[in-house]
Each structure stands twice: as C-alpha cells, then as structure tokens.
Amino acid sequence: MSRIIFVTVGSTGFDQIISLVTSTPFLQLLISQGFAKLVVQYGKSRNSFIKMQNNFINEIEIIGYDYKPSLREDMKIADLIISHAGSGSILEILRLYKPLIVVANENLMDNHQIELAIELQSKGYLVYSSISNLLETLKSFNYKNLIPFPQPNDTLFANILNEEMNVDI
Amino acid sequence: MRLYKVLPLHKDKITRSIHLPKPPFKTCIVLGSGGHTMEMLQLAEGLDFQKIYRPRIYVIANNDHLSLEKVHEFENRKTGDKSNKYYKVHKIPRSRLVGQSWLTTPFSIFKALLASINLIFERDSPDLIICNGPGSCIPVCVISYLPRIMGLKWIKLIYVESFARVKTLSLTGKLLYRFVDRFLVQWIYLIEKYPRAEYIDIYRLNDDKSGISDHSASTE
C-alpha cells in the first residue's frame, strides 16, 4: 500500500499548515497510515517548507512547489487531500470525489470561508479542522463516513435565464 | 426621475418590454479568477450556445492568463468546435490590485470604466450580462446602466452570488443588490436577509430534503 497525500494552500501562503504537515509527528503519522508520498503546494509559504528536516527519507517521499496552472493532476493521484478553505479548491476536490480535510486560515480577516467549510462538513461532504486539531483529525479520519458530492444541476440556471429573457423552450 | 424608473425593483413592465430583444442574445460573461471563473463556467454549462446565447463575450482581467486558458478550453469542449467564432474575450484592467496604493486607484478605476465603455458601446451592445462577484463586474454593470437611463437599450443584468458566500453577501453583491434584474444566491440563509434574492441550488445540496428545495425545477 503506497498512498499519496496532497496538501494545497492556494494562491496565498499558509505558514502554519506547511510547518505542521512537514513536522516530525505529522510525517510519522502519515507513514503509520501507509502514506508513501506527500505532495505540497505551498504558495507563498516556501520558507516554512524548506525549514523541514525529513528524517524519514527512506519511508516517505516529499515533493513541494509554489504554484502550477492546474492542480488537477495532483488532486487526481491523491488518496487524501488537505486543503485551504477557498471555494474553488473545495469544489474542484469534491467533484473529483477525493476525501478532503479543509483547514481554514483563521488569520484571514473575513471568516466566511469557515462558514462554507462548516456547512459542507455538516452535510458530510468533507471534514473541517482547525490547525491545532489537524493531527487528531487525521488520526480519527473515517473515509467511509464521507458522502459523495452531488453532480451539479446544469438546467436550473439556464431555466432562470430563459425565463428572464422570455425564451420559450 | 429616469434613474428611479429603470431600477429593476420598479416593476414598470412597459418600460422593460419595449426593450425586449429576440434570441440570439449577445451574452457578456464576466469572469473573476480562480474560484469565480470555475463557478461561472459551471453556470454557463447548461446554456444553449447554439441557438440562444450567442455570440458570447468573456470579460477577464488583463493579467488573468489562467481564466483565458479556461475559456478557450470550455468553449472548445462545449461547442465541439475549435474554429468556433461565436465567442471572444474582452480584457479589462483591474480596478484595484491587491496592495495597490489608494492614490493611484482612481486612475485604474478610470481605465476600467473606459474599457467597459468599449464593451458596452460596441456596434452591437450586449443583451445581457452575467456576473458572479469579482470586483471587475462593477465597472461593467455601472456602464451598462447608461443605455438603460438614456432609454436606448435595457441590458439585462444577472448576478449570481458565489457558492462561497453562505451567510453574508460579498461587497460586490451588496453593491449590486438593488441594481440587477435577477439576484441569485446559493445558500438558503441569504434569502432570509435579502428578500430580492432568489435561491438556486446548483449543487443539489437540498435535493434530499423536502420543503427546502424547489423539486419542480430539479431534474432527477
């Protein structure tokens, strides 16, 4: 079993999460859960990433980069994703049916991102965690409890628009 | 006063019906970046591009290369036609870059308004504008009101608040709330606070719970 975990912070940086996922206790937990590869999109948090000391070079491969035009390929190969709370990332990951832990950056001024993560957690599509709880969340993470995200309804918006424009279909 | 008459909440059906065009409609789609662009292309997915909504003009910020790529990808896939001539991209400078000094902001707003004038007062102005919250849609919407006030053309404005806004509107949403013809939100909490808002459950989050979702409109 060689599983892959992908961590993404989006267009800004998120030092705390990068420091945490590259810390020794976190890497140990990943190895014990059968992860053989950690891919990190660290955005502006490069400094937090390169501080890492990987004492487990033979046990877990760690790859990091700042940005890519599309994260889709890294999302697709992952068995578990830890993401910031941006709605674009959340939607993209859920639509690939990937198990997802969302960690909100509580330092951001506006907390509407947390509201979104909590709502989607209450519906069972993802798990929300604070930074301080992330290790515990991962320990008790139950993949089987997650509910697949529904396919979007393509006709709703078209119907409203057709009605507004007086189109008879 | 004319401005009052052309506000959508003033339900003067006569004023509106005079300006009612027939399809196909020249459709202006305002893209933000990242999440905004993704959500907007999802909205456009169900539209009839062949008969009704053409040509399409995608408005993007002039440094947003990613959205530009996404538009081409989306159009090629949806129409199945790589030489598709029914869409184009119109670039608009950002009104304010993150971290830009407030001193130079009036100049960039002016540039954004100019670019919007070019868009709205083209030989054929758009029939409708769809936007979902990036700041760049504000200059476009403001300028689109000029033909309406002058009695030349009623360009329909459709606003869809981002899926990211659960309990509060975005600043763009608050600014445009009273001025757009349809104001759609994706979380039910928002229609309690904003009576003009309509709920649209694109991601079927309430399909399994009766009484909340509009079952007549969902196609299962």
Side-chain angles (χ1 to χ4, degrees), chain B residues 65-176:
Chain B
H65 309 296
L66 220 57
S67 291
L68 185 67
E69 248 174 69
K70 292 244 164 77
V71 165
H72 295 316
E73 209 177 275
F74 172 75
E75 278 281 344
N76 291 344
R77 179 178 55 74
K78 185 160 153 66
T79 60
D81 178 7
K82 285 209 164 156
S83 56
N84 166 2
K85 296 186 293 285
Y86 287 106
Y87 79 97
K88 63 178 183 180
V89 172
H90 187 92
K91 294 186 182 174
I92 285 197
R94 282 191 201 273
S95 301
R96 187 168 176 272
L97 294 167
V98 178
Q100 185 185 338
S101 132
W102 287 105
L103 214 66
T104 57
T105 301
F107 296 102
S108 23
I109 290 177
F110 182 70
K111 277 200 238 163
L113 287 171
L114 268 185
S116 307
I117 289 172
N118 287 335
L119 171 74
I120 300 296
F121 289 94
E122 264 188 333
R123 235 172 305 129
D124 307 301
S125 52
D127 296 302
L128 73 150
I129 297 172
I130 310 170
C131 46
N132 71 343
S136 55
C137 66
I138 291 176
V140 178
C141 291
V142 167
I143 299 297
S144 78
Y145 250 71
L146 295 179
R148 191 187 289 209
I149 292 165
M150 295 186 278
L152 298 172
K153 186 173 188 175
W154 189 294
I155 301 173
K156 287 273 170 85
L157 293 176
I158 316 292
Y159 184 83
V160 186
E161 185 58 281
S162 164
F163 182 66
R165 308 306 304 213
V166 178
K167 289 177 180 164
T168 54
L169 293 182
S170 64
L171 180 58
T172 311
K174 284 179 191 156
L175 287 170
L176 294 177

Side-chain angles (χ1 to χ4, degrees), chain A residues 69 87-88 91-92 95 110 112 115-116 119-120 123 125 149-158 160-167 169, chain B residues 16 20 25 38 42-43 45-47 52-53 66 130 156 158 160 163-167 182 187 189 201-205 209 217-219:
Chain A
S87 62
L91 281 175
E92 192 171 4
R95 294 190 58 190
D110 202 342
H112 74 266
E115 288 172 2
L116 178 69
E119 282 297 319
L120 293 174
K123 292 177 184 295
Y125 302 129
F149 195 63
Q151 281 290 318
N153 187 336
D154 288 343
T155 56
L156 278 182
F157 181 65
I160 289 176
L161 209 54
N162 290 343
E163 175 200 287
E164 183 62 27
M165 299 307 290
N166 263 358
V167 180
I169 300 290
Chain B
R16 298 177 79 169
L20 215 61
F25 302 119
M38 207 176 91
Q42 173 60 48
L43 289 169
E45 189 70 57
L47 303 184
I52 307 175
Y53 299 101
L66 220 57
I130 310 170
K156 287 273 170 85
I158 316 292
V160 186
F163 182 66
R165 308 306 304 213
V166 178
K167 289 177 180 164
R182 298 292 279 262
W187 289 93
Y189 308 105
D201 188 14
I202 295 165
Y203 293 100
R204 301 179 201 264
L205 301 184
K209 297 180 190 93
S218 67
T219 50

Side-chain angles (χ1 to χ4, degrees), chain A residues 2 8 13 19 35 47 52 54 63 65 67 85 95 98 108 115 118 138 144 152 154 156-157 160 163:
Chain A
S2 63
T8 171
S19 301
F35 287 101
N47 288 339
M52 162 187 54
N54 184 1
I63 298 170
Y65 58 88
Y67 302 105
R95 294 190 58 190
K98 292 294 177 178
L108 292 179
E115 288 172 2
I118 288 173
L138 183 60
K144 290 197 185 80
D154 288 343
L156 278 182
F157 181 65
I160 289 176
E163 175 200 287

